[in-house]
Amino acid sequence: MRTRYNKLKLRYIALKRGWTPQQNLFYGFLTYVGVGTILLCLPWLQKTSAPILDHLFTATSAVSTTGLVTMSIFDSYNVGGQFVIMTLFQLGGIGYLTFTTFMLLSTTHKITPWHKSILNTEFTLPVTIKIKDFLKSVVLYTVIMEILGAILFFIAFKSDGMGTVEAIWSSIFHSISAFCTAGFSLFNSGFTPYVDNGLINFTVSMLAICGSLGFIVITDVGLWIKNRTHSLSFTTKIVAIGSLVLLAFGYLFFYFLEPSISSLSGSARVSAAFFQSMTAMTTVGFNTVDFGTFVLPMLLVTIFLMYIGASPSGTAGGMKITTLTAVFAIMKSRLKGSKNITFLGRRIPYERLYVATSSFIFYTTLIFVGTFILTFSESFDFENILFEVASALGTVGVSTGITGDLSSIGKVIIIILMFIGRLGVLTFGLAIWSKGITKEDREVLKEDIAV
């Protein structure tokens, strides 16, 4: 029996090593979703029964750190089920193999080439950051931030009159959810009752921004703090500038032009405008104002922020600030007639530009296709469907309120989009279609095209 087990184990290892890094990520996250779905289907983890499709939807939403749900988490699952969901978005937030590779590094002080290839595919690192430094920063930073967040949440919930046991569990759950930008909440109305609660607004924003900045930025800044001769990477500078610009952009629009926010007074208006801008840009998925009440122009602003997202190699989703920067740099350089593609006085390598343009085109195409299909299967207004698709692919998790009323086809489409959004559009494409360089690729003729 043991010999047979060892043979099967060796075959499985050989199979995994035969996959490309992109395929390993694809099947890895798919395994998380499958196991999560099976666990959530167990009756003793539920408060009420639900169709398997809804459990699959919840598991995918958790692994992809999206937060869209077709049923109430608190009303549908007991503490055991909620713990499974929390574990799924914790694993989804820090990335496939991150924790296991960290443990391997801690015990053997070595990383296998197989682990390294997958991590380098999932986390596109600049040459100035080593994978070992990066892994240590990811795990240590995650633990510190989530503990700090849980403490602040506990103080806020206790001050609001919540019982001690409930406050402890809610604090841990929401801290991990916020840092992983998962958007899952144990409150049916989300954080809308806390629109003017300064401590809760600060805690969610701090965790979401710190998570969405990306582990590249955190590792880079940490190395700079330890050694001032270490120069911050170009990626860190772009992410910092882009995040500030997007947050300010969303804040100003929501503060002055969204009636449901401008009707608030004093600090509540300031907090609501900043929080909604932050939640869309960081893709954290929490909200203190109902997006279903937003006027159409502000829905479009929210869609734009969700479409861009935050930093690569972090907990946030979206197309990424760096991708938008690269595409903008191409446009700017072409308009100026420059042969070099530059931004902030730095030339961007062509291989990064190819990745950025491919991601931009593929991401936009998926939003179009997803919206197109849902306009056939659903009867909601177009702007609500577009908002839902952008939220799913960007792994944001906010909704205008249509998620629970989606048809079975609509739920399947959103599940696929959430999964692709977590995996990354290019990683998904390479996992499905990549076949390596063939003889025909090498012998293909070069030809011109008018553009």
Side-chain angles (χ1 to χ4, degrees), residues 378-395:
E378 314 303 317
S379 58
F380 307 112
D381 292 335
F382 174 77
E383 62 269 21
N384 292 331
I385 291 175
L386 177 60
F387 192 96
E388 196 81 6
V389 168
S391 180
L393 186 60
T395 69

Side-chain angles (χ1 to χ4, degrees), residues 263-279:
S263 62
L264 300 173
S265 59
S267 61
R269 182 179 179 183
V270 173
S271 297
F274 176 81
F275 196 95
Q276 270 44 246
S277 177
M278 176 279 302
T279 202

Side-chain angles (χ1 to χ4, degrees), residues 40 45 47 58 61-63 65-69 71-91 142 145-154 157 162 164-188 190-191 203-204 207-208 284-286:
L40 293 179
L45 295 182
K47 289 182 179 178
T58 302
S61 184
V63 171
T65 67
T66 302
L68 288 174
V69 290
M71 54 188 182
S72 165
I73 298 301
F74 182 79
D75 294 336
S76 302
Y77 301 102
N78 58 28
V79 174
Q82 294 164 18
F83 180 80
V84 169
I85 293 170
M86 184 181 73
T87 303
L88 291 175
F89 60 66
Q90 176 74 90
L91 292 172
T142 299
M145 293 306 302
E146 289 177 353
I147 290 175
L148 177 60
I151 293 171
L152 293 176
F153 270 128
F154 180 78
F157 291 148
M162 190 178 292
T164 301
V165 175
E166 183 184 1
I168 291 173
W169 175 236
S170 294
S171 300
I172 295 171
F173 188 95
H174 289 100
S175 180
I176 296 175
S177 182
F179 180 76
C180 292
T181 64
F184 278 86
S185 177
L186 299 178
F187 311 138
N188 289 336
F191 282 102
T203 304
V204 174
L207 291 169
V284 67
F286 291 127

Side-chain angles (χ1 to χ4, degrees), residues 203-441:
T203 304
V204 174
S205 300
M206 176 197 67
L207 291 169
I209 291 172
C210 288
S212 68
L213 279 176
F215 300 122
I216 289 177
V217 175
I218 300 307
T219 303
D220 206 17
V221 172
L223 291 173
W224 177 78
I225 292 173
K226 288 197 299 183
N227 181 10
R228 294 302 175 92
T229 60
H230 172 83
S231 58
L232 295 176
S233 69
F234 187 42
T235 299
T236 297
K237 295 174 183 177
I238 288 177
V239 169
I241 295 171
S243 298
L244 287 173
V245 170
L246 289 175
L247 279 172
F249 168 82
Y251 170 79
L252 292 173
F253 270 87
F254 292 143
Y255 185 86
F256 290 108
L257 300 178
E258 170 50 44
S260 63
I261 292 178
S262 58
S263 62
L264 300 173
S265 59
S267 61
R269 182 179 179 183
V270 173
S271 297
F274 176 81
F275 196 95
Q276 270 44 246
S277 177
M278 176 279 302
T279 202
M281 192 276 290
T282 63
T283 72
V284 67
F286 291 127
N287 59 291
T288 56
V289 177
D290 183 7
F291 280 100
T293 64
F294 273 31
V295 294
L296 182 56
M298 293 305 100
L299 284 179
L300 291 174
V301 169
T302 307
I303 290 170
F304 174 73
L305 292 172
M306 294 192 296
Y307 173 74
I308 297 171
S311 169
S313 301
T315 61
M319 186 179 63
K320 310 302 184 188
I321 290 172
T322 46
T323 298
L324 180 69
T325 300
V327 173
F328 175 78
I330 293 172
M331 180 188 70
K332 179 176 69 69
S333 297
R334 289 303 95 188
L335 292 176
K336 287 186 174 182
S338 174
K339 292 183 179 180
N340 292 322
I341 311 299
T342 62
F343 188 78
L344 298 179
R346 303 286 187 89
R347 186 173 69 85
I348 303 175
Y350 281 110
E351 57 268 24
R352 296 297 192 191
L353 295 173
Y354 296 147
V355 171
T357 51
S358 300
S359 180
F360 173 78
I361 294 169
F362 196 11
Y363 195 94
T364 306
T365 300
L366 284 171
I367 286 185
F368 172 81
V369 172
T371 304
F372 181 78
I373 295 174
L374 288 184
T375 53
F376 279 101
S377 66
E378 314 303 317
S379 58
F380 307 112
D381 292 335
F382 174 77
E383 62 269 21
N384 292 331
I385 291 175
L386 177 60
F387 192 96
E388 196 81 6
V389 168
S391 180
L393 186 60
T395 69
V396 184
V398 291
S399 175
T400 55
I402 69 172
T403 312
D405 297 321
L406 290 170
S407 66
S408 295
I409 295 175
K411 290 177 183 177
V412 170
I413 296 301
I414 295 299
I415 286 171
I416 294 171
L417 290 172
M418 290 190 296
F419 184 80
I420 295 174
R422 175 60 189 91
L423 192 62
V425 292
L426 289 187
T427 301
F428 171 77
L430 289 169
I432 299 298
W433 292 298
S434 179
K435 59 180 180 179
I437 299 175
T438 64
K439 183 179 179 182
E440 290 77 11
D441 293 327

